Amino acid sequence: MSQPIRFYYQGAVREVTSAAPTQTILQHLREDLHCTGTKEGCAEGDCGACTVVIGSLRDGQLELKAVNACIQLTPTLDGKALFSVEDLQQPGGALHPVQQAMVECHGSQCGFCTPGFVMSLWSMYLKQEGKQPTRCQINDALSGNLCRCTGYRPIIDAAMRMGELAPVAFDRAALAAQLAPLQRSALATYSAAGRNFHAPRTLAELISLRAAHPEATLLAGSTDVGLWITKQMRDLGDIIYLGNVAALGHIAQDGAMLEIGAGVTLEDAYQALAEHYPDELTQMWQRFASLPIRNAGTLGGNVANGSPIGDSMPWLIALGSQVVLAAAAGQRIMPLEDLYLAYQQKDMLPGEFVQSLRVPLPREGVHFRTYKLAKRFDQDISAVCAAFAFRFDGQLVSEARIAFGGMAATPKRAAATEALLVGKPWTDDTVSAAMAMMENDFAPLSDMRASSAYRMKSAQNLLRRFWFETRLDAPLAAAALNVFAVRA
């Protein structure tokens, strides 16, 4: 029996019973609720014109996150709260401080992108709780929003100005009380338009569903699957939603490993990992997509998708991470690099799914770096993503793990280059030989992001950059080689 989608919006609990399971939140807002302040620009989560804020309960605590409504599916709203730009109007029609600051700082011209900027700023406004944001926090909050009229300067001015205006409180406790009765304790299935949207709550329910429906589409953060709908017009068939499975949302240390459930968002996963690898992963965290994408997408989904240009896999592979697969027959644990067989082909049996990732914690003597080359600092796809994890025995390389994204049909280790390096002195001559050997490991393609020659030269030069930072004689500080480093 189909169960309705229940969510809180504009002061009331809404029920949806007939929308297609693949209807986006943006479509529901504009076409069903006739709330047209939220705009559609790219329909792929890049421009931010569709930004909304989603409120959800996790372990009884309220979380509020900005996401892209154009790729999030309406059934995922079940048990949550939805906030669009229409919610910001104050009693008597007054503007919210975020909106008022945009007016005062001339942050809007054509106005199409403005609702999305306002919602991203409102999400930051709630998070800051009256504290003045830093420029870095502002840039990160706006990383998923594009403006072609005013540019960012007046919008950043507005972000600074909004905290100087009379504050407007947000009653988190009241919202949490509204959401509590909407929480489900067991599997819920929503059916419409001849398709089913299954939302299990437990790992056992998920395993049983996957065994019964191995052909169903698994949906986590929808940052990739959403584009299958909006851009590729695919028929996804039945859907199994992973976002409510509590067991997939854990992060726990297990000995020398940090285990991250497949349902943990990219934002939460990178935050946890950056606590252990602050110098190595903080910039990758900031440069991975945008905040709304990281708020929705999951590390497990990034791994399961297996894109050859995914930014997480190279450094996960270089560190020696493992993937935990689950199915009715039990668990399988394998090195992550063994998961990828060929383009869009993975070593997964029918009924299996990614349950978690096991990431090694820092080990004494291991020198680890990861680098991303793209045309923009953030919100851009890599041309090349590189990761290196080396160990030295005196002057010699005793262990070398090198992994790249963007250089092959899958995330791939540089096996021949690693073999050349092990046992050799860590010198300029050795690095030069290893750079030449890379041509035996990779034959990158040319596409709109980069040519084959550029990718090869860049990959080789990134190895040399790693050598500059880790050479045994006078290594250079990372800031000395980082074009984005701010110098006094």
Side-chain angles (χ1 to χ4, degrees):
M1 180 180 296
S2 178
Q3 296 167 284
I5 303 162
R6 303 174 303 174
F7 66 97
Y8 183 84
Y9 181 59
Q10 291 191 343
V13 174
R14 312 285 178 131
E15 285 199 356
V16 178
T17 57
S18 58
T22 53
Q23 182 194 56
T24 67
I25 293 175
L26 178 63
Q27 290 170 328
H28 187 64
L29 276 170
R30 295 182 60 84
E31 298 170 13
D32 296 345
L33 301 180
H34 307 294
C35 293
T36 55
T38 308
K39 305 297 189 238
E40 178 178 88
C42 64
E44 58 186 43
D46 276 342
C47 75
C50 68
T51 305
V52 296
V53 172
I54 302 294
S56 58
L57 291 180
R58 186 168 74 170
D59 298 327
Q61 300 299 310
L62 180 67
E63 292 185 334
L64 294 159
K65 295 182 177 181
V67 301
N68 301 112
C70 70
I71 53 175
Q72 295 299 312
L73 305 188
T74 301
T76 65
L77 284 176
D78 189 58
K80 300 175 183 176
L82 171 63
F83 295 93
S84 64
V85 70
E86 287 86 355
D87 287 286
L88 269 62
Q89 179 174 290
Q90 300 302 298
L95 297 178
H96 188 278
V98 173
Q99 298 168 307
Q100 184 62 41
M102 287 285 280
V103 172
E104 293 182 9
C105 297
H106 308 285
S108 178
Q109 190 166 320
C110 84
F112 190 86
C113 71
T114 304
F117 271 99
V118 164
M119 293 308 293
S120 289
L121 290 175
W122 184 65
S123 177
M124 184 176 67
Y125 184 89
L126 297 178
K127 186 175 182 179
Q128 291 299 115
E129 296 183 329
K131 299 176 184 176
Q132 188 73 351
T134 66
R135 177 63 183 267
C136 183
Q137 289 170 327
I138 294 170
N139 290 350
D140 198 37
L142 299 181
S143 60
N145 296 84
L146 301 180
C147 176
R148 298 187 177 210
C149 295
T150 67
Y152 284 87
R153 197 271 303 161
I155 299 172
I156 291 171
D157 289 346
M160 301 297 290
R161 172 65 176 150
M162 65 186 187
E164 299 170 356
L165 302 174
V168 171
F170 183 83
D171 195 338
R172 294 172 178 267
L175 179 59
Q178 290 284 351
L179 295 182
L182 303 182
Q183 305 309 298
R184 301 186 189 275
S185 59
L187 166 70
T189 295
Y190 171 79
S191 303
R195 298 298 186 193
N196 299 308
F197 185 98
H198 304 288
R201 302 287 299 192
T202 67
L203 191 59
E205 290 175 343
L206 172 57
I207 290 172
S208 177
L209 270 173
R210 190 59 172 157
H213 306 283
E215 76 294 340
T217 298
L218 294 181
L219 176 71
S222 199
T223 54
D224 189 54
V225 173
L227 274 67
W228 299 357
I229 299 166
T230 62
K231 296 300 182 181
Q232 300 178 17
M233 311 302 172
R234 288 196 210 176
D235 179 359
L236 300 189
D238 288 349
I239 295 172
I240 299 175
Y241 177 52
L242 310 180
N244 292 338
V245 181
L248 298 184
H250 77 282
I251 300 175
Q253 185 170 336
D254 181 11
M257 294 280 194
L258 189 69
E259 185 155 10
I260 300 175
V264 175
T265 65
L266 287 159
E267 179 70 3
D268 290 344
Y270 269 93
Q271 181 177 20
L273 287 158
E275 291 179 3
H276 296 279
Y277 293 101
D279 296 330
E280 298 88 351
L281 288 179
T282 295
Q283 189 179 104
M284 181 62 75
W285 173 18
Q286 185 182 6
R287 297 190 65 196
F288 192 109
S290 67
L291 181 58
I293 292 295
R294 297 197 304 269
N295 279 340
T298 65
L299 185 62
N302 199 223
V303 165
N305 178 44
S307 169
I309 50 175
D311 287 339
S312 297
M313 283 76 79
W315 61 262
L316 284 169
I317 289 172
L319 286 175
S321 301
Q322 301 171 336
V323 59
V324 180
L325 304 177
Q331 281 188 348
R332 284 200 300 153
I333 301 176
M334 69 173 70
L336 179 57
E337 63 258 38
D338 293 347
L339 180 66
Y340 306 114
L341 304 177
Y343 180 70
Q344 295 296 304
Q345 295 182 29
K346 295 175 284 291
D347 182 13
M348 295 179 68
L349 304 174
E352 278 190 324
F353 59 89
V354 175
Q355 179 178 336
S356 64
L357 280 303
R358 292 170 53 82
V359 184
L361 295 173
R363 294 171 291 159
E364 185 177 357
V366 174
H367 299 263
F368 165 56
R369 299 288 192 282
T370 185
Y371 310 111
K372 172 175 176 151
L373 295 183
K375 294 179 180 179
R376 295 197 303 267
F377 178 81
D378 46 23
Q379 182 68 331
D380 202 5
I381 296 172
S382 293
V384 175
C385 186
F388 307 94
F390 282 37
R391 191 191 293 271
F392 305 109
D393 182 4
Q395 300 291 319
L396 304 181
V397 178
S398 60
E399 180 182 341
R401 294 180 65 91
I402 302 172
F404 282 97
M407 295 290 288
T410 66
K412 185 183 174 185
R413 285 178 68 179
T417 306
E418 292 176 357
L420 180 147
L421 285 165
V422 173
K424 299 290 196 311
W426 189 226
T427 63
D428 186 32
D429 289 342
T430 299
V431 172
S432 296
M435 291 168 64
M437 181 60 74
M438 277 191 191
E439 295 186 3
N440 294 316
D441 281 313
F442 302 107
L445 297 176
S446 295
D447 59 20
M448 63 184 293
R449 280 177 287 276
S451 67
S452 174
Y454 173 86
R455 284 190 161 106
M456 179 56 70
K457 179 59 69 176
S458 297
Q460 292 169 330
N461 285 342
L462 287 172
L463 177 59
R464 184 170 292 281
R465 174 178 171 176
F466 176 67
W467 176 74
F468 278 130
E469 292 184 22
T470 59
R471 63 189 181 185
L472 303 176
D473 179 29
L476 296 178
L481 299 163
N482 186 349
V483 71
F484 300 113
V486 178
R487 290 172 172 81

